[in-house]
Amino acid sequence: MSKNDILIKVNQLYKIFGDNSNEALDLVKDGMGKDELLEKCNCVLGLNNINLDISKAKIQVVMGLSGSGKSTLIRHLNRLIEPTSGEILVNEQDILSLSQKELVQFRQNNMSMVFQKFALFPHKTVLQNVGYGLAIQNIPVDEWDTRAKKWISRVGLDGYETYYPGQLSGGMQQRVGLARALATDAEILLMDEAFSALDPLIRSEMQNILLDLQSELHKTIIFITHDLDEALKIGDRIAILRDGSMVQDSDPQKIIMKPADDYVSDFIKDINRARVIQAKSIMTPSKSKSSGATVKEDMVLEDILQIMSDAPSKPVTIEDTKGNITGKIEMVNLIEGMKRPESQGTNITG
Amino acid sequence: MFLVWFEKFFINTPWPLIVLGILILAWIGSRSIPVVIGTFLSFMLIGYFGMWEDTMSTLAIILVATFLCISIGIPMGIAMARSNKIQALIVPILDVMQTIPSFVYLIPVVMLLGIGKVPGLIAVCIYAIPPIVRLTNLGIRLVDKDVLEAADSFGANYWQKLFGVQMPLALPTIFAGVNQTIMMALAMVVIASMIGVKGLGLPVLRAISNQYLALGLMNGLAIVVLAIIFDRVTQKFGLRMQKYRNDGKD
């Protein structure tokens, strides 16, 4: 990853809620933990020394349990929450130095947000909701009208323009939320647990809509979630937060193959490894063709297993997207890959 | 002055025109035939019993007082909703205004301004303004934080948030305040008549001092009728303004 690809840079970001946050900041920098801080200063540690580089046109997922600071982090990016200390650079511009007026400009043009509870304007129609970001920029009505209509039809809500949000189902409301965020043509999309309030089927449908849109629009998306399956499905990179600190930030395959600590292992222990681990994570590098079939390097183990079961003794050849041979996989690799990492232990006794 | 002009306008305009105007307003406000018919019958009865002029005077002072209260009260409520300090400052003042016996502030008002319509109007406003201020403040503060955050995230400035999001969503509450203000203004009419405000209050006052039961009852009932009409029309109007809520699940 070259340096130019990084769009958002978060450096040593701290957030402490409560009075005397400056005093508390020194204590935190000296290594005081969340519980002790609460006891001593009556301050809540929101974010603890967060460093994060977010690449252009990628989906960066931020994961963590409730209270881990992920929603706090995303709100720092557009300064809905002011940090206690630290630096946030977007396009090499320090957004913490923006004046109130510049900040308003910045929010109008560079970032838009999708919310967990939709946060649509109940007194506005679908059309007015989607056009809101444009209307407050004083863009003439007939112009934002057409642009908003385009996005409404893009998320599949044709014919609902004059409805009020209260008349729509949850999934449809979030489509409106998504269209509203996309309508401003902002480069950066912040999604705060955007699909968490939806039922599983609709959620998966919305994930597909998002991926579909992303393949065409190439936005930089920061996606907050507490659902690992969702993170693995859409994330190009996953950062895991715990109690306000960053535990691991790496590509999804690495999170599964090499969890940084027990907390991360705990997170990943219930996932179906065969369905998410890809060939490239477990293959043995090799340039020569093996005796078995040839598959792409992003094929998941489950599918490889299907192929190999026909001829278990023949290793399969792995090739990258351009068709170059990069490695091979034998049956034993598959078994190794599906096994949980060491740190989690096993239940076998005797 | 405005009030005088208003009163003259009401009294001098031929009564069928006034009744027609009020019926049209009632229809625009309530969109309900029973309310319009009720209004028509009430005004016919008021005219039949010879209380037309007094009713028109009362109507004039109520309208002017309500207009004044709204134009002062809503900005005050907005200021209160914006800052906790202003709220802390205004709330005790409102408490005093609402609980102090009206006669107490009638004395300085009369001392300074003498007897007549203006002091009467001021007295009515002091009594009637607290609900609109309080409910404007409350309505704005109760607007969903998530929705405000959304407006923020799209780069709305303070005024865009106020007029585009907070006020429209607070409107039903604000309207309840307007309704209460009108009701309280009507309740003050009798007391205001003590300092020389013409209208339905004056005969009631005379009836009290002379123990004319019928006179008091009739004029009292006329006030009640006005109150009910105002109340029904404004309430129905307030309800219609939140039609987006009716078919929602919220």
Side-chain angles (χ1 to χ4, degrees):
Chain A
M1 184 195 317
S2 77
K3 205 172 169 237
N4 297 338
D5 289 342
I6 291 172
L7 184 66
I8 305 173
K9 225 173 147 52
V10 178
N11 288 330
Q12 299 181 341
L13 193 70
Y14 289 89
K15 174 66 188 178
I16 292 158
F17 295 100
D19 305 329
N20 298 325
S21 56
N22 284 327
E23 252 173 67
L25 179 65
D26 291 334
L27 291 172
V28 171
K29 281 185 174 169
D30 287 340
M32 189 180 273
K34 190 173 185 169
D35 298 331
E36 206 181 342
L37 189 76
L38 183 62
E39 204 173 289
K40 281 207 172 144
C41 306
N42 205 17
C43 287
V44 175
L45 180 56
L47 293 175
N48 185 1
N49 194 13
I50 299 290
N51 294 287
L52 184 63
D53 291 342
I54 298 169
S55 330
K56 209 175 205 146
K58 290 278 181 331
I59 302 182
Q60 166 82 50
V61 171
V62 178
M63 268 193 72
L65 301 175
S66 312
S68 60
K70 50 195 194 310
S71 291
T72 310
L73 176 60
I74 205 174
R75 277 168 177 70
H76 277 83
L77 299 178
N78 59 358
R79 267 178 71 188
L80 285 174
I81 299 179
E82 300 283 338
T84 309
S85 118
E87 191 183 38
I88 299 168
L89 301 174
V90 176
N91 258 334
E92 298 185 357
Q93 183 191 23
D94 181 9
I95 64 155
L96 298 177
S97 65
L98 297 177
S99 70
Q100 200 58 41
K101 233 185 192 149
E102 291 166 329
L103 181 63
V104 163
Q105 282 281 323
F106 174 79
R107 286 174 180 164
Q108 287 179 357
N109 301 322
N110 298 57
M111 273 189 194
S112 53
M113 197 160 173
V114 184
F115 296 85
Q116 180 178 11
K117 291 180 198 143
F118 319 140
L120 300 175
F121 305 110
H123 61 296
K124 291 178 187 290
T125 61
V126 168
L127 183 66
Q128 288 167 334
N129 263 291
V130 174
Y132 184 78
L134 301 169
I136 58 171
Q137 293 175 32
N138 295 323
I139 290 171
V141 178
D142 38 334
E143 195 192 325
W144 69 249
D145 191 90
T146 20
R147 280 170 72 179
K149 274 189 183 135
K150 188 186 93 188
W151 286 109
I152 290 173
S153 87
R154 191 67 190 75
V155 297
L157 283 179
D158 281 311
Y160 287 98
E161 285 89 348
T162 56
Y163 282 59
Y164 286 99
Q167 296 166 297
L168 304 179
S169 69
M172 286 159 100
Q173 288 191 35
Q174 195 57 302
R175 286 180 199 217
V176 178
L178 190 58
R180 178 175 68 173
L182 291 170
T184 61
D185 287 329
E187 190 183 1
I188 302 166
L189 195 57
L190 307 176
M191 304 188 71
D192 181 17
E193 301 215 27
F195 305 147
S196 300
L198 305 173
D199 61 65
L201 272 180
I202 306 284
R203 188 187 310 174
S204 142
E205 189 185 318
M206 289 297 290
Q207 289 161 356
N208 292 335
I209 291 177
L210 182 70
L211 289 173
D212 189 30
L213 284 167
Q214 173 67 357
S215 65
E216 184 182 315
L217 303 170
H218 305 296
K219 303 251 179 200
T220 305
I221 300 176
I222 294 95
F223 193 100
I224 302 273
T225 182
H226 56 244
D227 177 358
L228 187 66
D229 289 321
E230 185 168 64
L232 292 169
K233 179 168 176 185
I234 65 172
D236 292 314
R237 223 179 146 74
I238 299 179
I240 297 184
L241 286 182
R242 177 195 196 181
D243 288 346
S245 312
M246 183 85 78
V247 185
Q248 185 167 12
D249 172 31
S250 60
D251 76 84
Q253 294 291 308
K254 207 167 164 197
I255 295 239
I256 302 166
M257 298 308 290
K258 288 185 183 134
D261 62 7
D262 289 349
Y263 180 73
V264 182
S265 317
D266 252 4
F267 241 117
I268 62 172
K269 82 174 173 219
D270 288 331
I271 57 156
N272 183 348
R273 298 174 69 84
R275 200 167 285 172
V276 288
I277 296 176
Q278 296 170 358
K280 64 177 176 221
S281 304
I282 58 160
M283 68 188 184
T284 328
S286 150
K287 292 283 173 211
S288 56
K289 201 163 164 46
S290 314
S291 50
T294 303
V295 300
K296 295 284 180 207
E297 63 177 8
D298 58 355
M299 184 176 266
V300 295
L301 300 195
E302 200 174 51
D303 298 338
I304 300 175
L305 193 65
Q306 210 65 46
I307 294 167
M308 282 190 92
S309 59
D310 296 337
S313 57
K314 290 180 184 168
V316 289
T317 311
I318 309 300
E319 59 176 24
D320 64 12
T321 42
K322 288 171 198 134
N324 303 318
I325 294 170
T326 52
K328 61 171 183 175
I329 290 181
E330 288 174 66
M331 204 54 168
V332 60
N333 298 124
L334 276 183
I335 296 168
E336 280 279 307
M338 273 185 254
K339 179 184 119 222
R340 291 193 211 125
E342 301 296 313
S343 59
Q344 285 171 240
T346 56
N347 293 326
I348 301 168
T349 47
Chain B
M1 202 192 128
F2 195 53
L3 175 59
V4 180
W5 179 85
F6 229 57
E7 196 179 338
K8 280 210 180 110
F9 170 80
F10 272 128
I11 294 176
N12 293 337
T13 316
W15 66 265
L17 277 183
I18 300 270
V19 171
L20 191 68
I22 288 174
L23 290 184
I24 289 172
L25 281 180
W27 171 249
I28 292 172
S30 67
R31 295 284 159 86
S32 135
I33 301 232
V35 169
V36 175
I37 292 174
T39 310
F40 178 73
L41 288 180
S42 319
F43 276 90
M44 289 297 116
L45 278 177
I46 286 172
Y48 181 73
F49 286 112
M51 298 182 291
W52 185 258
E53 280 196 14
D54 284 341
T55 306
M56 287 303 110
S57 303
T58 301
L59 210 55
I61 195 165
I62 296 298
L63 287 179
V64 173
T66 307
F67 177 74
L68 260 179
C69 286
I70 289 175
S71 50
I72 298 169
I74 289 184
M76 257 169 89
I78 291 172
M80 271 169 84
R82 187 177 189 179
S83 133
N84 283 332
K85 275 186 192 153
I86 297 181
Q87 175 172 252
L89 190 77
I90 293 183
V91 164
I93 300 178
L94 293 181
D95 290 340
V96 171
M97 282 164 81
Q98 277 188 304
T99 47
I100 199 168
S102 345
F103 298 102
V104 177
Y105 57 76
L106 279 183
I107 301 166
V109 169
V110 170
M111 269 163 52
L112 289 172
L113 295 165
I115 278 177
K117 289 193 183 76
V118 181
L121 187 64
I122 291 174
V124 172
C125 282
I126 290 177
Y127 187 69
I129 207 169
I132 179 96
V133 180
R134 274 183 208 276
L135 286 168
T136 303
N137 175 34
L138 184 72
I140 292 178
R141 280 174 187 265
L142 283 184
V143 170
D144 192 354
K145 293 280 174 296
D146 291 342
V147 172
L148 279 183
E149 197 175 43
D152 262 332
S153 77
F154 284 97
N157 62 32
Y158 173 73
W159 297 106
Q160 283 170 332
K161 266 189 291 174
L162 181 66
F163 291 115
V165 180
Q166 289 172 306
M167 288 294 275
L169 289 178
L171 218 50
T173 317
I174 294 176
F175 224 78
V178 173
N179 181 327
Q180 283 307 300
T181 290
I182 296 175
M183 293 303 112
M184 294 183 79
L186 267 168
M188 265 303 273
V189 164
V190 177
I191 291 172
S193 67
M194 285 181 179
I195 53 173
V197 176
K198 277 195 228 150
L200 289 170
L202 212 53
V204 172
L205 200 65
R206 223 181 313 134
I208 293 171
S209 45
N210 298 325
Q211 298 185 350
Y212 294 151
L213 178 63
L215 181 70
L217 208 60
M218 258 167 37
N219 286 281
L221 282 178
I223 295 177
V224 171
V225 164
L226 274 187
I228 291 176
I229 292 172
F230 270 122
D231 182 65
R232 294 300 180 273
V233 172
T234 52
Q235 269 192 9
K236 284 256 167 68
F237 187 60
L239 270 181
R240 262 201 307 124
M241 274 192 309
Q242 32 178 330
K243 67 172 190 307
Y244 62 86
R245 281 173 209 251
N246 292 345
D247 22 36
K249 298 180 289 185
D250 213 31

